[in-house]
Amino acid sequence: MTMNTQGRPTDAGSAGVSSTDTFTGNRGLQIEEALLFEVGRTDVTGVDLDEPEAFAPRLGKLARKSAIDLPGLSEPEAMRHYVRLSQKNYAIDSGLYPLGSCTMKHNPRLNEKVARLGGFGDIHPLQPLSTVSGAVDLMAELGRWLIEMTGMTSVALSPKAGAHGELCGMMAIKAAILARGEPRDIVLVPESAHGTNPATAALIGFKVVTVPARPDGTVDPAAVKALLSPQVAAIMLTNPNTCGLFERDVVEIAAAVHAAGAYFYCDGANFNAIVGKAKVGELGVDAMHINLHKTFSTPHGGGGPGAGPVVFSSRLAAFAPLPFIRIEADGPVLVEDETAVTDGEQPFGRMVAFHGQMGMFVRALSYMLSHGADGLQQASEDAVLNANYVRAGLRDVMSQPSGDRTCMHEVLFDDHFLDGTGVTTLDFAKAMIDEGYHPMTMYFPLVVHGAMLIEPTESESKASLDLFIATLRHLVQRAKAGDVERFREAPRFAPRRRLDETRAARAPKLKWERPQAFDQAAE
């Protein structure tokens, strides 16, 4: 089948890559896959349902007036469709996944086995608390580990992801400021921060002021001090930062922020680099989210599930949201509403209907218990070692915006090494797909032109990293040798070719429409 025949061809066969065209569009065991709408028929269904008895609908003007136009598929058709789609995906179980600041690490199967135990896998959020004491104990133990690893005072487990955790931490900061009766409405955010940081602050009513970065990619405490005032509520700082560097002046920055009466929020997206090595509480942090789905397995590719618990210092512990775990003489107690709040507890409210993502809690604690304190520390050390191994293997052929310096868990390159070649960062990334690799994070952080951010994590072996390094060195060599068409045509061996980006931007098709003929199907 030929799809998206207008403009640049997107199927691999039409690019002249295959020496043999096939009638089906299949290439051996690489099966061509149509859209679900093109597989099924709207006049059939995969199930037989009896006609309902006569009834009077209550939808009024909202009642459907035309056919629903959904494809009907048998169970084998539906199963084959989704299995074939899954086989086109790249995953951490397929190979190295070098996304910077995303920590796509191996997820031990032990964690999955434990998460599927009946007591955890079949739990329901509406069960009476008397029937889920084991789950509450697990949440309490997970919280204890998170508090111990960070040197903080309390933890909110309910946030569902990193950005949700940011929101939780900043809402606690806002509640603390309101409790003090102070008109603080400014949040300082370094220019290299994750985009969710300023978005979170703005969402809850703060004004965002950008802190410029030094040429080496770190934050200058003098720049922070120059912006501090009685109107500043907090600073949101990522450490290690998005350039893959440890903020060496973090203690001085925290002291200045506290002296000005403000709070220090730390973005914990890069916690995988410092577990067992540094306690953020001792660095002066007041709140930090922890992506369980990154640091403690179950990488979040595909959009979920996620969990972003937030740890709080003693300055903010009282404002942690409901629900939270209180440790009492008889064991942990889950505090679900304000009627159970005691003196000294001032939760800012409730962010979620229930308690969090139990599957993520189980996987994370399983990961912690199986590794132990020394194993978690080694994981961080290996993540940093692997990133620096990649840096050392590429530093003579790829350019580093902050100079040749030791990085943390990820190494940042820019596109200067491609100057004069006619090859762009995007072209380089697309060529990596032909070599069987998911591209690294591109064009982020935004403060670096043509950024290429690589995080190999601790999961990769030396052999795996050697092949990755050799592949990138080869691509650099081909780019500098003038093999531009190889890059501009890439990917040639993927299930789909590169889209005509200009046409897609100027004449986007935002809704699938049934084609007049089969060979006019939109991709």
Side-chain angles (χ1 to χ4, degrees), residues 397-401 412-428 442-443 447-453 476 479-480:
V397 295
M398 294 176 67
S399 47
Q400 301 175 73
L412 177 62
F413 297 103
D414 62 21
D415 63 353
H416 286 312
F417 71 95
L418 294 173
D419 287 349
T421 65
V423 176
T424 67
T425 298
L426 182 63
D427 294 334
F428 194 85
M442 302 178 299
Y443 302 119
V447 292
V448 173
H449 188 276
M452 304 180 195
L453 188 59
V476 173
K480 292 187 175 181

Side-chain angles (χ1 to χ4, degrees), residues 465-502:
L465 295 179
D466 284 339
L467 180 58
F468 179 72
I469 292 169
T471 301
L472 294 194
R473 293 184 68 90
H474 168 76
L475 291 177
V476 173
Q477 182 183 40
R478 297 317 308 158
K480 292 187 175 181
D483 193 2
V484 180
E485 286 307 306
R486 169 179 181 170
F487 291 88
R488 289 181 178 171
E489 291 179 358
R492 298 173 294 164
F493 304 120
R496 287 288 171 267
R497 301 296 308 285
R498 200 190 309 193
L499 294 177
D500 184 333
E501 296 162 24
T502 301

Side-chain angles (χ1 to χ4, degrees), residues 353-401:
F354 300 112
H355 316 103
Q357 223 289 353
M358 181 53 65
M360 293 304 309
F361 296 164
V362 178
R363 292 180 183 91
L365 186 60
S366 171
Y367 183 90
M368 295 173 188
L369 293 175
S370 60
H371 279 72
D374 56 340
L376 293 174
Q377 178 176 319
Q378 182 183 344
S380 293
E381 292 172 346
D382 289 349
V384 174
L385 176 64
N386 282 357
N388 281 281
Y389 188 73
V390 171
R391 180 186 61 82
L394 295 173
R395 61 185 174 186
D396 63 322
V397 295
M398 294 176 67
S399 47
Q400 301 175 73

Side-chain angles (χ1 to χ4, degrees), residues 273-320:
I274 60 173
V275 175
K277 304 295 291 184
K279 292 191 174 184
V280 296
E282 297 175 0
L283 301 179
V285 172
D286 293 308
M288 183 182 81
H289 77 266
I290 300 171
N291 292 330
L292 296 186
H293 54 274
K294 292 169 63 171
T295 304
F296 302 108
S297 82
T298 319
H300 60 327
V310 179
V311 286
F312 296 102
S313 70
S314 58
R315 303 179 189 88
L316 288 176
F319 300 95

Side-chain angles (χ1 to χ4, degrees), residues 131-166:
T131 68
V132 293
S133 58
V136 174
D137 287 345
L138 183 143
M139 293 166 66
E141 183 67 4
L142 173 63
R144 187 179 74 84
W145 275 75
L146 294 176
I147 289 171
E148 175 62 29
M149 282 186 281
T150 58
M152 301 290 261
T153 300
S154 70
V155 61
L157 294 174
S158 58
K160 302 298 181 62
H164 204 209
E166 290 174 23

Side-chain angles (χ1 to χ4, degrees), residues 246-259:
F246 191 83
E247 292 286 355
R248 61 183 181 271
D249 297 309
V250 61
V251 174
E252 182 180 351
I253 291 172
V257 168
H258 292 152

Side-chain angles (χ1 to χ4, degrees), residues 30-368:
Q30 187 180 83
I31 308 298
E32 179 64 18
E33 191 59 34
L35 297 178
L36 195 64
F37 289 91
E38 298 158 358
V39 174
R41 292 165 44 195
T42 59
D43 58 332
V44 298
T45 177
V47 296
D48 293 322
L49 299 174
D50 295 333
E51 285 295 325
E53 297 180 2
F55 65 94
R58 295 178 292 174
L59 295 175
K61 294 181 179 180
L62 298 177
R64 179 166 50 84
K65 296 179 176 61
S66 59
I68 197 169
D69 200 33
L70 291 177
L73 291 88
S74 67
E75 182 173 316
E77 287 176 319
M79 179 63 70
R80 288 170 181 167
H81 174 72
Y82 287 107
V83 167
R84 289 195 293 255
L85 284 181
S86 73
Q87 291 170 341
K88 297 180 187 301
N89 286 341
Y90 190 90
I92 191 64
D93 290 340
S94 303
L96 173 64
Y97 216 128
L99 288 182
S101 280
C102 279
T103 315
M104 299 296 287
K105 63 203 287 179
H106 173 67
N107 175 31
R109 293 305 177 262
L110 171 63
N111 304 348
E112 295 299 324
K113 183 177 181 179
V114 176
R116 283 164 172 74
L117 292 175
F120 298 128
D122 298 333
I123 198 169
H124 193 280
L126 294 179
Q127 283 182 236
L129 277 177
S130 60
T131 68
V132 293
S133 58
V136 174
D137 287 345
L138 183 143
M139 293 166 66
E141 183 67 4
L142 173 63
R144 187 179 74 84
W145 275 75
L146 294 176
I147 289 171
E148 175 62 29
M149 282 186 281
T150 58
M152 301 290 261
T153 300
S154 70
V155 61
L157 294 174
S158 58
K160 302 298 181 62
H164 204 209
E166 290 174 23
L167 183 64
C168 174
M170 293 305 294
M171 289 179 73
I173 288 174
K174 187 170 186 176
I177 289 172
L178 290 175
R180 284 157 43 179
E182 297 179 353
R184 295 176 179 265
D185 61 354
I186 293 176
V187 171
L188 306 181
V189 180
E191 61 182 358
S192 63
H194 293 113
T196 51
N197 285 184
T200 295
L203 179 66
I204 57 176
F206 287 115
K207 300 174 185 176
V208 177
V209 174
T210 301
V211 182
R214 287 185 284 209
D216 66 0
T218 61
V219 176
D220 187 343
V224 174
K225 293 174 183 177
L227 294 172
L228 290 173
S229 71
Q231 278 67 51
V232 173
I235 187 172
M236 299 181 77
L237 183 74
T238 305
N239 196 25
N241 68 24
T242 311
C243 296
L245 304 172
F246 191 83
E247 292 286 355
R248 61 183 181 271
D249 297 309
V250 61
V251 174
E252 182 180 351
I253 291 172
V257 168
H258 292 152
Y263 293 95
F264 185 171
Y265 183 89
C266 183
D267 185 314
N270 299 332
F271 192 46
N272 198 53
I274 60 173
V275 175
K277 304 295 291 184
K279 292 191 174 184
V280 296
E282 297 175 0
L283 301 179
V285 172
D286 293 308
M288 183 182 81
H289 77 266
I290 300 171
N291 292 330
L292 296 186
H293 54 274
K294 292 169 63 171
T295 304
F296 302 108
S297 82
T298 319
H300 60 327
V310 179
V311 286
F312 296 102
S313 70
S314 58
R315 303 179 189 88
L316 288 176
F319 300 95
L322 296 164
F324 60 84
I325 302 287
R326 181 195 299 136
I327 305 301
E328 298 184 351
D330 296 332
V333 174
L334 184 61
V335 180
E336 295 218 61
D337 55 63
E338 294 182 354
T339 61
V341 170
T342 61
D343 291 342
E345 295 171 342
Q346 306 176 63
F348 66 74
R350 189 183 187 102
M351 297 186 68
V352 295
F354 300 112
H355 316 103
Q357 223 289 353
M358 181 53 65
M360 293 304 309
F361 296 164
V362 178
R363 292 180 183 91
L365 186 60
S366 171
Y367 183 90
M368 295 173 188

